[in-house]
């Protein structure tokens, strides 16, 4: 069971490593938002510090959304997706491996890059740790939920718009609690409650999303 | 998860002591885009047989193969695997099935070796120790470390075809190959070798369903089924 998980994860990571453009794209988007925001709105430090939690979280969310389109596309196009579904091994583990690889190539680098952008947006230093932790947990949830929408639309010619429509309602709770956690840290309030809820959402999607991803992939491949 | 191999032969024998056919299709009906591809389609496939599926373009060959793989579900009728409903037996069935579809099914960003290693991990009926032998059988010796995007179309298909040379011999009696146009983009010499390999596989008890528009020069006995006779014109 774990063998197929590692097989799929290592293959996806190797492919991502060889096609660096695919996973640099969301990171560059994330960077661009943080760079352009002060130019477009106001470079005043106290104003930026006020909006930084929201801006960082929204741009991380949109960067994840941007990368969802390609999650299953290439596997679907070259036929390896149907070979995966013909494997007698558990499709749950395969789906989990795919979502996990997506998180390692988007969510993880986004969370690691966030402190740098937080400094650029004058986020108070006491909130940076919370920002990274909330992004680490939050983006993992976003990857798992997004993979469901990506799997559902992979067979369609223009699935991009549909993915956003399907996934935004599921993303909103993650955004609210993620951004609130960082805001609380800025204000010096306790953050554990927010992080606990983010963790609960992550645990729930970790257990249930792979079933939905696997079922969606079957539907997409059988059309 | 370890897939427990059940003693298949005992389970899949009917009460009369006669082995049930590997696949039995009963009254299959399938339509696509308001066109009936086939109706009342029934046939049996015994172990060791080769079934050559014929028919003009659009007659439903690929649809039928995808139905038989368990990838396409929009049909009516029954499919039985050793006398049991196929839908209930998918895990057993998939652990003895090799499907070769239209698409290359090879990752262009990986080397031939990496592609086959990945296949051996997700499809336990493939033996990873046979990879280098399989690659030389399909004429790709020396290309193990070349990225598939740098290979020609025919060579990419050969990488995928190398899976046929990695079949574990232990459960060959239950193995089924479903090959959709396996000879596309393969040169004459390659087609000949592949045909020989297919008949050798069938001779040792393996079962094959294939579609091709080429004349088959297989030495073993072939069952033929023309889908043009089963659809509405």
């Amino acid at each position: 069971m774990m063998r197929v998980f590692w097989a799929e994860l290592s293959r996806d990571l190797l492919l991502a490593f060889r096609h660096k453009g695919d996973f640099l794209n969301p990171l560059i988007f994330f960077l661009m938002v943080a760079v352009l925001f002060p130019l477009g709105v106001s470079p005043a430090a106290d104003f930026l510090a006020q909006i930084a939690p929201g801006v960082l979280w929204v741009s991380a969310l949109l960067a994840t959304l941007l990368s969802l389109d390609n999650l299953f596309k290439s596997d679907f196009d070259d036929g390896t997706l149907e070979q995966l579904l013909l494997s007698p091994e558990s499709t749950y583990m395969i789906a989990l491996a795919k979502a996990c690889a997506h998180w390692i190539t988007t969510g993880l680098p986004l969370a690691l890059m966030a402190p740098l952008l937080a400094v650029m947006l004058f986020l108070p230093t006491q909130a940076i740790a919370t920002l990274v932790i909330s992004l680490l947990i939050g983006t993992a949830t976003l990857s798992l939920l997004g993979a469901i929408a990506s799997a559902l639309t992979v067979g369609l010619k223009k699935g991009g718009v549909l993915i956003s429509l399907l996934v935004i309602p599921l993303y909103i709770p993650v955004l609210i609690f993620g951004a609130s956690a960082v805001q609380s840290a800025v204000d010096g309030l306790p953050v554990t409650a927010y992080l606990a809820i983010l963790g609960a959402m992550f645990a729930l999607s970790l257990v249930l999303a792979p079933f939905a991803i696997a079922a969606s992939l079957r539907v997409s491949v059988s059309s | 998860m370890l897939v427990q191999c059940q003693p298949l032969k005992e389970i899949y024998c009917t009460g009369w002591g006669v082995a049930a056919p590997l696949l039995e299709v009963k009254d299959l009906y399938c339509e696509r885009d308001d066109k009936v591809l086939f109706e009342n389609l029934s046939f049996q496939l015994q172990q060791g047989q080769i079934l050559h599926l014929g028919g003009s373009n659009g007659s439903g060959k690929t649809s039928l193969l995808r139905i038989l793989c368990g990838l396409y579900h929009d049909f009516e009728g029954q499919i039985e695997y050793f006398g049991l409903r196929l839908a209930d037996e998918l895990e057993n069935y998939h652990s003895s099935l090799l499907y070769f579809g239209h698409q290359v099914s090879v990752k262009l960003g990986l080397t031939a070796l990496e592609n086959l290693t990945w296949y051996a991990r997700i499809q336990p009926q493939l033996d990873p120790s046979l990879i280098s032998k399989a690659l030389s059988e399909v004429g790709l010796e020396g290309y193990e470390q070349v990225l598939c995007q740098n290979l020609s179309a025919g060579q990419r298909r050969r990488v995928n075809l190398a899976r046929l040379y990695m079949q574990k011999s232990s459960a060959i009696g239950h193995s089924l190959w479903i090959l959709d146009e396996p000879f596309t983009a393969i040169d004459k010499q390659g087609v000949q070798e592949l045909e020989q390999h297919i008949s050798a596989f069938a001779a040792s008890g393996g079962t094959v369903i294939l579609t091709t528009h080429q004349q088959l020069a297989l030495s073993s006995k072939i069952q033929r089924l023309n889908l043009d006779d089963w659809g509405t014109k």
Side-chain angles (χ1 to χ4, degrees), chain B residues 28-31 35-41 59-61 63-64 67 75 227 230-232:
Chain B
L28 208 62
Y29 171 87
C30 178
E31 65 169 43
K35 181 182 180 281
V36 178
L37 291 176
F38 38 80
E39 52 188 336
N40 299 324
L41 177 66
S59 60
K61 298 187 292 294
S63 295
L64 178 59
I67 289 172
F75 64 93
L227 282 185
W230 298 85
T232 44

Side-chain angles (χ1 to χ4, degrees), chain A residues 12-107:
Chain A
D12 280 6
L13 292 181
L14 185 61
L15 281 168
F17 177 71
R18 294 215 174 125
H19 295 270
K20 292 186 189 66
D22 282 355
F23 84 96
L24 284 180
N25 210 11
L27 287 180
I28 290 169
F29 176 84
F30 192 42
L31 185 71
M32 295 283 270
V33 174
V35 170
L36 294 180
F37 227 87
L39 295 177
V41 190
S42 154
D46 52 345
F47 175 73
L48 283 177
Q50 210 178 352
I51 58 164
V55 170
L56 287 168
W57 249 96
V58 168
S59 48
L61 184 144
L62 292 178
T64 311
L65 192 62
L66 191 72
S67 62
L68 284 179
D69 212 10
N70 293 325
L71 181 48
F72 297 106
K73 199 82 193 160
S74 77
D75 283 355
F76 181 81
D77 289 341
D78 64 21
T80 46
L81 188 62
E82 59 186 23
Q83 294 292 341
L84 270 173
L85 293 179
L86 286 178
S87 165
E89 308 284 353
S90 133
T91 11
Y92 180 92
M93 290 318 265
I94 293 172
L96 188 61
K98 285 254 161 218
C100 192
H102 179 259
W103 178 73
I104 292 175
T105 51
T106 37

Side-chain angles (χ1 to χ4, degrees), chain A residues 3 82-89, chain B residues 3 5 8 69 81 90-100 116-131 162-178 201:
Chain A
R3 198 179 61 152
E82 59 186 23
Q83 294 292 341
L84 270 173
L85 293 179
L86 286 178
S87 165
E89 308 284 353
Chain B
V3 179
C5 282
L8 293 165
C69 284
Y81 175 60
L90 274 183
E91 197 173 309
N92 271 331
Y93 179 63
H94 282 165
S95 60
S96 55
L97 170 74
L98 278 187
Y99 171 60
F100 190 94
L116 292 176
T117 313
W118 173 74
Y119 267 122
R121 282 178 178 166
I122 63 158
Q123 299 180 333
Q125 62 271 45
L126 301 176
D127 186 348
S129 64
L130 294 176
I131 292 177
R163 282 194 291 150
L164 302 183
Y165 293 87
M166 289 159 61
Q167 172 78 47
K168 277 183 188 162
S169 51
S170 51
I172 214 161
H174 296 108
S175 334
L176 172 66
W177 291 355
I178 294 186
F201 172 70

Side-chain angles (χ1 to χ4, degrees), chain A residues 1 75 78 82 87 221-222, chain B residues 1 66 72 105 107 109 122:
Chain A
M1 202 166 178
D75 283 355
D78 64 21
E82 59 186 23
S87 165
V221 163
S222 78
Chain B
M1 183 181 65
R66 290 175 66 85
Y72 186 67
S105 303
K107 274 275 162 223
I122 63 158

Side-chain angles (χ1 to χ4, degrees), chain A residues 26-210:
Chain A
L27 287 180
I28 290 169
F29 176 84
F30 192 42
L31 185 71
M32 295 283 270
V33 174
V35 170
L36 294 180
F37 227 87
L39 295 177
V41 190
S42 154
D46 52 345
F47 175 73
L48 283 177
Q50 210 178 352
I51 58 164
V55 170
L56 287 168
W57 249 96
V58 168
S59 48
L61 184 144
L62 292 178
T64 311
L65 192 62
L66 191 72
S67 62
L68 284 179
D69 212 10
N70 293 325
L71 181 48
F72 297 106
K73 199 82 193 160
S74 77
D75 283 355
F76 181 81
D77 289 341
D78 64 21
T80 46
L81 188 62
E82 59 186 23
Q83 294 292 341
L84 270 173
L85 293 179
L86 286 178
S87 165
E89 308 284 353
S90 133
T91 11
Y92 180 92
M93 290 318 265
I94 293 172
L96 188 61
K98 285 254 161 218
C100 192
H102 179 259
W103 178 73
I104 292 175
T105 51
T106 37
L108 185 62
L110 284 178
L112 296 180
M113 210 167 95
L116 181 73
L117 305 188
V119 172
M120 285 167 63
L121 293 177
F122 300 101
L123 187 78
T125 37
Q126 80 263 22
I128 288 182
T130 313
L131 175 72
V132 175
I133 296 170
S134 69
L135 277 177
L136 280 175
I137 310 172
T139 49
T141 317
L142 298 184
S143 285
L144 285 159
L145 294 175
I148 304 175
S150 183
L152 270 175
T153 53
V154 69
L156 307 174
K157 289 251 153 46
K158 285 175 184 157
V161 186
L162 203 54
I163 287 188
S164 315
L165 282 176
L166 285 170
V167 101
I168 285 291
L170 299 171
Y171 275 12
I172 286 173
V174 183
L175 173 70
I176 291 173
F177 285 100
S180 308
V182 185
Q183 190 62 54
S184 296
V186 171
D187 301 337
L189 299 169
V191 294
T192 38
Y194 294 111
L195 292 182
I197 290 177
L198 276 182
M201 287 193 283
F202 168 63
L204 194 68
S205 47
L206 180 68
V207 176
L208 296 180

